[in-house]
Amino acid sequence: MGANLISTSRLALDRYDGQPVIAIVHATIPYRGEPRNNHYKMCESGQRTSTQHSNVRLDYLNEDVFLRIYAFLPVKGGLKPLSLSCKSIRESCKPVLFSHSRVKSEKLTSEHFIRPSLRPFVQILTFEGEWGDLAYPLPRFTPAQLAQAMLEMPMLTRVIIKGNHGNGVPWPYLDAILTLPHLRAFETPTTLHHYEKGGATPDTLSSPAAPLTSYQQVLYDYRQAPRHHIGDLEPVSCLVRQAQVQQSLKRLVIPMESTPFADFVTSEWPRLLVLSLRGEKTQVMPPYLRYFGRMPALRELTLYVAHSHLAGRGVFCPAGWTGPFPWPELRTWTVSFPDPDDPIYSYIPSSLRSFALRCWPRHYVQFEWPDRSYIGALGWHSPILTASEMLRLVARCRSPHLRELDIEYVEDSSEVDLLHQIPLAFPNLDRLMIHRYRRRGADYIPIREIGEALALLSRLEVLYLHLDLKIAPHPLALYNDHGDEEFLRFEASLVASPTLKVICFLKRYMFLNEWLPLRILRTGSDEAPHGYWDLALRDELDLM
């Protein structure tokens, strides 16, 4: 019998979600039609043991156990070679091996598309490459044929479109994808706008849209004009007008330029948990609450909005607004260029855990080439708050349960008062990020006062600090280390908080902006706390 069997290599997994699991250590698998009489040995923690006297069959293992094991294996060098060992193993691998399938957009043909026998296993389908132009027919599926092929994938719930080099997707194919009944998630890192000759993007879908739970389109931040494309706006607009999407959608991440604001005014979004807009604002807009006030379940709201000189700061509520707060379960809130007199900050809910009052892009990109050239070409500017304005805003806030705060401001005579106000408004912070900038001609940094104010935060563990040092080198300088030496000079003034474990200083080098973590050591004796650079912490810290 041994001549007709092959022996598989060890397939041992010591842990699953942090828990020990039983591992297949050695197995004999039938070869060339041999009757199945598989012997294996099972043990804890992947210990290899002899299988000479085992009389338990491999196929006694539950199918779910195999699928959990297969899910841990990389496709290349793991699952794919294993699937070639024998027919029975290949059949059992299929649900994992083909769960995420990729196809070339320019080769949507019967020959190159996923075979009918494998379509029932597909859960995620990625289209890669350019779609071409409908004016020049290619030997490929029609939109109707593609729709039919996807209907033969009953497990398909997520579609990804990427790698089209900015040439978009012909509307009939996009329509076929978005109306797939069992689709639940759609995402793309590229534009959908297609320069189709003689064609136009309709303002409706051919069939009812799928009840999506997630729609994500994240484009390059510094893409040049034109940034507004009808081919990116209309798919979102077509979706949000449909009642089933309004009832099902939980996550919406789209460019600011592709946001159908008018469609948000009258619609209700009872299940929307995450809303993220990222892009530019070129003119003054009505208060955001006009558009986003009907999302009662919202947990995360992110507005990364760059401003032109005509746009003004981001306003949520009109003057005189008296509540109530529209998102009572909000946990994460990011606002770029907030209005310090916006009344909404007086009504922060107790659910909030992470709060960012910042610039987007960060204010420091305004200073040095080449970042400054990108910002200038786009016509953006940075209406950053002064310390006095930030103080007015923070003084409105009362959020005792907040854990993370990110603020960005230009220093002035109210800076120390601002830093003393933070422990009053947010007494239980464990992470704090501060980007402070010098006024023109102002070189003094009140580092002792900063340390004394932050010492009032009795739970603070991690401090991220950008001080805008005069000595800081140009990011493209060949020698970029003497800023680190200056950070160490301030260390003793910043460790007054008894709970502080790490201070991270921002270092700009070449095209990278990285936080350098300084671990704080406390010996427990009379020796003063001191720190040392611990770069390994960069992988451990969940940087804000």
Side-chain angles (χ1 to χ4, degrees):
M1 182 178 67
N4 293 323
L5 297 177
I6 62 172
S7 178
T8 65
S9 60
R10 177 173 174 261
L11 175 61
L13 299 172
D14 293 339
R15 290 190 171 273
Y16 182 85
D17 289 341
Q19 301 298 322
V21 299
I22 295 176
I24 304 173
V25 175
H26 195 76
T28 52
I29 300 176
Y31 181 61
R32 294 182 180 177
E34 176 81 359
R36 298 177 69 182
N37 186 20
N38 307 322
H39 300 284
Y40 69 96
K41 183 68 175 176
M42 302 170 64
C43 68
E44 293 284 345
S45 304
Q47 297 294 322
R48 181 181 293 273
T49 59
S50 172
T51 60
Q52 183 176 359
H53 303 293
S54 174
N55 58 1
V56 185
R57 290 164 49 120
L58 184 62
D59 55 6
Y60 283 2
L61 275 180
N62 188 286
E63 181 180 353
D64 291 340
V65 174
F66 276 114
L67 294 179
R68 288 162 69 103
I69 294 173
Y70 294 156
F72 271 90
L73 297 176
V75 174
K76 294 183 179 180
L79 189 57
K80 188 173 181 179
L82 179 64
S83 70
L84 300 175
S85 60
C86 76
K87 184 176 180 179
S88 60
I89 288 291
R90 180 170 178 79
E91 288 299 317
S92 67
C93 285
K94 282 182 178 179
V96 176
L97 190 60
F98 298 101
S99 62
H100 186 176
S101 297
R102 297 168 176 82
V103 295
K104 295 293 184 181
S105 304
E106 67 271 21
K107 295 183 178 180
L108 297 180
T109 65
S110 299
E111 179 182 359
H112 295 97
F113 200 68
I114 302 164
R115 295 200 303 270
S117 62
L118 300 177
R119 293 174 189 174
F121 305 113
V122 178
Q123 301 177 38
I124 303 172
L125 181 60
T126 296
F127 294 93
E128 296 182 342
E130 299 190 29
W131 290 73
D133 199 320
L134 293 183
Y136 300 95
L138 298 174
R140 61 181 175 186
F141 285 160
T142 64
Q145 289 173 320
L146 177 61
Q148 179 59 41
M150 292 189 296
L151 284 173
E152 296 171 9
M153 303 175 183
M155 301 290 290
L156 177 61
T157 59
R158 180 181 170 198
V159 167
I160 303 169
I161 296 177
K162 65 180 184 179
N164 62 24
H165 302 101
N167 292 322
V169 182
W171 176 257
Y173 288 98
L174 191 58
D175 182 288
I177 293 170
L178 295 178
T179 57
L180 183 66
H182 44 274
L183 185 68
R184 294 298 178 266
F186 176 86
E187 61 188 77
T188 179
T190 185
T191 181
L192 299 173
H193 185 72
H194 188 261
Y195 297 93
E196 181 183 339
K197 295 181 179 180
T201 303
D203 58 2
T204 59
L205 294 168
S206 61
S207 302
L212 295 178
T213 60
S214 176
Y215 185 99
Q216 296 187 76
Q217 183 184 29
V218 180
L219 302 181
Y220 176 57
D221 291 334
Y222 297 133
R223 63 191 186 279
Q224 297 298 311
R227 295 174 59 92
H228 301 72
H229 288 302
I230 190 69
D232 290 320
L233 172 63
E234 284 300 340
V236 185
S237 186
C238 289
L239 290 171
V240 303
R241 291 175 192 156
Q242 302 205 14
Q244 72 275 17
V245 177
Q246 297 171 12
Q247 293 296 314
S248 64
L249 198 64
K250 296 182 179 180
R251 182 180 185 89
L252 182 61
V253 180
I254 53 177
M256 185 77 172
E257 299 87 345
S258 303
T259 304
F261 288 100
D263 295 317
F264 280 113
V265 174
T266 58
S267 53
E268 301 276 350
W269 302 88
R271 291 181 174 82
L272 191 65
L273 301 177
V274 177
L275 176 64
S276 176
L277 306 183
R278 193 179 186 109
E280 68 175 8
K281 185 173 75 166
T282 57
Q283 58 186 1
V284 175
M285 294 176 56
Y288 290 132
L289 204 58
R290 170 180 171 82
Y291 308 109
F292 310 138
R294 299 170 180 263
M295 304 171 180
L298 205 62
R299 302 287 182 87
E300 180 179 333
L301 176 58
T302 301
L303 299 176
Y304 282 136
V305 183
H307 287 56
S308 72
H309 288 278
L310 302 177
R313 288 173 174 159
V315 178
F316 281 89
C317 303
W321 181 82
T322 57
F325 193 80
W327 313 294
E329 299 180 43
L330 194 66
R331 296 182 63 85
T332 302
W333 192 11
T334 300
V335 187
S336 54
F337 306 113
D339 186 323
D341 299 315
D342 195 327
I344 197 171
Y345 300 113
S346 299
Y347 298 89
I348 293 178
S350 59
S351 60
L352 196 64
R353 296 295 181 268
S354 179
F355 194 22
L357 302 163
R358 51 162 293 173
C359 304
W360 190 85
R362 288 290 187 187
H363 189 63
Y364 53 68
V365 306
Q366 305 281 328
F367 300 147
E368 308 288 357
W369 182 91
D371 298 321
R372 184 173 56 190
S373 63
Y374 293 120
I375 301 301
L378 291 167
W380 295 350
H381 84 126
S382 182
I384 186 173
L385 274 66
T386 63
S388 297
E389 292 174 318
M390 187 64 75
L391 174 60
R392 292 210 312 269
L393 192 158
V394 173
R396 293 173 175 269
C397 303
R398 287 295 181 272
S399 186
H401 302 292
L402 193 73
R403 293 292 180 263
E404 298 179 356
L405 176 66
D406 176 358
I407 60 173
E408 194 165 4
Y409 62 88
V410 173
E411 58 85 19
D412 62 13
S413 59
S414 297
E415 179 178 21
V416 175
D417 292 335
L418 166 63
L419 297 177
H420 277 278
Q421 183 64 37
I422 289 175
L424 299 177
F426 315 110
N428 291 307
L429 291 177
D430 53 46
R431 291 193 178 198
L432 174 61
M433 178 179 286
I434 298 176
H435 287 78
R436 56 94 67 187
Y437 302 90
R438 295 176 289 114
R439 290 169 293 173
R440 185 181 299 273
D443 298 333
Y444 173 68
I445 299 177
I447 194 67
R448 182 177 61 83
E449 293 85 350
I450 291 175
E452 291 174 351
L454 299 183
L456 300 175
L457 291 167
S458 59
R459 296 176 181 267
L460 187 64
E461 296 184 357
V462 183
L463 172 63
Y464 302 84
L465 197 58
H466 174 54
L467 295 171
D468 189 21
L469 300 175
K470 183 180 180 180
I471 194 176
H474 190 286
L476 301 183
L478 294 178
Y479 178 70
N480 202 320
D481 290 335
H482 53 274
D484 306 353
E485 301 163 4
E486 188 73 2
F487 295 150
L488 289 173
R489 191 170 65 84
F490 295 138
E491 167 207 342
S493 301
L494 294 172
V495 297
S497 175
T499 57
L500 192 62
K501 298 178 180 178
V502 181
I503 304 175
C504 297
F505 293 100
L506 182 65
K507 180 177 180 179
R508 303 191 63 211
Y509 181 58
M510 299 300 287
F511 299 101
L512 300 175
N513 302 307
E514 61 177 356
W515 292 102
L516 299 182
L518 189 74
R519 187 190 290 271
I520 307 303
L521 291 181
R522 304 178 189 278
T523 61
S525 61
D526 294 336
E527 183 181 350
H530 63 282
Y532 67 95
W533 298 118
D534 188 353
L535 300 184
L537 277 177
R538 288 182 297 186
D539 297 327
E540 298 177 20
L541 288 173
D542 180 18
L543 296 180
M544 296 170 62

